[in-house]
Amino acid sequence: YNQFTGKLPTELGHLTAFKLSFDFSNQLLSGAIPTQLGRMTTIYKVFRLSANRFTRAIPTQLGRFTKLHIGFKLNNNDICGEVPTEVQALSNNVNNYWQVTTGNDIGTDCPSLPTQPPTMVPETSSPTLGPTATVVPTLAPTYCGPGFFEDYDSDGTGRGCVLCPMGKSNGLQSAPICTVCGAGKIAAQEGSVSCELCPGGRFNADTDATDASRHDSVEDCTESPAGYTPNAARTSYEKCVSPFTRRYSDACEALHYMNEDGECASCPEGTNCNSVGNEMGSLWIKAGHFRTVPSSSEVYPCMFEKAACLG
């Protein structure tokens, strides 16, 4: 039993091959939920951050957990704003535990982020001038970090540090501009430090990289046609290799099913896999057969009381 405090590290988003359950519930974690967690698209059991002190809105990127089928819990935090459509859609696949609004401030506007007050230069006296000389207060220099760009006029006035708009990103300090995402990538929220690849099964072929509106939403990523899969850069698509019918979309050919490693495996004896897109948890067990749990690929014939094994 741990009791972690502080912010959840954004580096956890690099665990892109993580498959089972992601659970940091009942801790003392605070701050916003990192958008980078949306890269962990292979999680298929449970995603749980309940009973913490998370604030701000639910990141749209969490809607990429399309393999999730057991539990999604963000309850008992201080989360505000609306539930993104992409995240709400996950509830159609989650079988057991879906808890998002309970114990949160869902439906209320998130408070504005606090702004840093200007640093004032104190009044000083000049020892050489005799009378006290008052120095006019001036603003301390401001340096904009990643996810922002500097918007200053020649006289030092202007909007200051401005969030990168959707469809653009910046990973540098004191950058004068944010850059439009390239082909295969999007930035679906303001203040992106980097652009992210289109989610599984989709691609973006816009190589001009001049129009941010073509890179500011998941909808800007086109779904690959049946029988094809996006390339690694998500800039185009290529023909799938059997037994996949559409890789990254949990679709295997008939007589195969998607196992826990995201691979198409031959259906075990005692199952009915005549359709396309079978998954381990939803394998159709034939009458006269059984398995111990839905997550098992081991199917056994009923030796006694066959009438009780309805499949």
Side-chain angles (χ1 to χ4, degrees):
Y1 180 77
N2 296 306
Q3 197 77 83
F4 294 119
T5 60
K7 295 183 178 180
L8 200 61
T10 59
E11 290 81 1
L12 290 174
H14 294 304
L15 301 175
T16 55
F18 194 77
K19 298 179 182 296
L20 298 178
S21 298
F22 185 89
D23 188 351
F24 278 88
S25 59
N26 299 295
Q27 305 295 324
L28 296 175
L29 297 169
S30 57
I33 297 174
T35 60
Q36 291 84 349
L37 298 184
R39 301 171 183 168
M40 303 168 65
T41 56
T42 53
I43 296 176
Y44 72 92
K45 284 191 175 182
V46 172
F47 181 85
R48 185 159 46 204
L49 295 177
S50 53
N52 277 285
R53 300 173 181 174
F54 288 111
T55 57
R56 312 305 301 168
I58 301 172
T60 302
Q61 287 84 345
L62 299 190
R64 299 174 184 171
F65 297 154
T66 55
K67 297 181 184 293
L68 205 65
H69 69 274
I70 294 181
F72 183 87
K73 301 182 68 174
L74 299 178
N75 56 293
N76 296 324
N77 282 285
D78 293 312
I79 298 172
C80 51
E82 302 294 336
V83 179
T85 303
E86 296 86 345
V87 174
Q88 186 62 45
L90 299 179
S91 63
N92 298 325
N93 299 326
V94 174
N95 298 326
N96 297 328
Y97 308 106
W98 175 265
Q99 293 182 327
V100 175
T101 59
T102 303
N104 286 310
D105 295 323
I106 299 297
T108 63
D109 293 334
C110 293
S112 301
L113 292 173
T115 56
Q116 193 73 16
T119 302
M120 308 301 289
V121 178
E123 294 184 353
T124 59
S125 298
S126 172
T128 60
L129 297 179
T132 300
T134 301
V135 178
V136 178
T138 58
L139 291 176
T142 301
Y143 301 97
C144 303
F148 294 81
F149 70 95
E150 294 184 352
D151 182 30
Y152 291 108
D153 299 326
S154 58
D155 60 358
T157 62
R159 292 186 297 171
C161 295
V162 182
L163 283 170
C164 292
M166 292 189 298
K168 296 184 178 183
S169 69
N170 170 48
L172 304 175
Q173 295 278 355
S174 304
I177 61 171
C178 297
T179 307
V180 177
C181 299
K185 296 184 177 182
I186 58 172
Q189 69 174 19
E190 293 181 330
S192 293
V193 175
S194 61
C195 298
E196 298 184 347
L197 285 174
C198 287
R202 293 174 177 265
F203 67 97
N204 182 309
D206 178 35
T207 56
D208 291 338
T210 57
D211 186 355
S213 67
R214 300 179 67 179
H215 299 267
D216 63 0
S217 169
V218 173
E219 300 304 318
D220 293 321
C221 298
T222 305
E223 187 173 357
S224 60
Y228 292 83
T229 181
N231 60 7
R234 303 290 204 275
T235 57
S236 62
Y237 58 86
E238 56 196 22
K239 191 172 180 59
C240 289
V241 178
S242 180
F244 286 100
T245 59
R246 186 183 294 159
R247 195 173 302 181
Y248 308 117
S249 295
D250 288 352
C252 298
E253 293 178 349
L255 305 181
H256 296 79
Y257 73 98
M258 184 70 69
N259 64 19
E260 61 182 12
D261 295 321
E263 300 173 345
C264 290
S266 298
C267 290
E269 186 176 350
T271 60
N272 187 337
C273 291
N274 294 327
S275 60
V276 172
N278 297 295
E279 298 180 1
M280 178 182 290
S282 59
L283 282 177
W284 185 358
I285 309 301
K286 292 182 178 179
H289 295 77
F290 76 97
R291 59 176 172 173
T292 55
V293 291
S295 59
S296 174
S297 60
E298 300 292 334
V299 178
Y300 306 95
C302 294
M303 304 302 295
F304 306 100
E305 297 294 335
K306 293 185 178 182
C309 295
L310 301 179

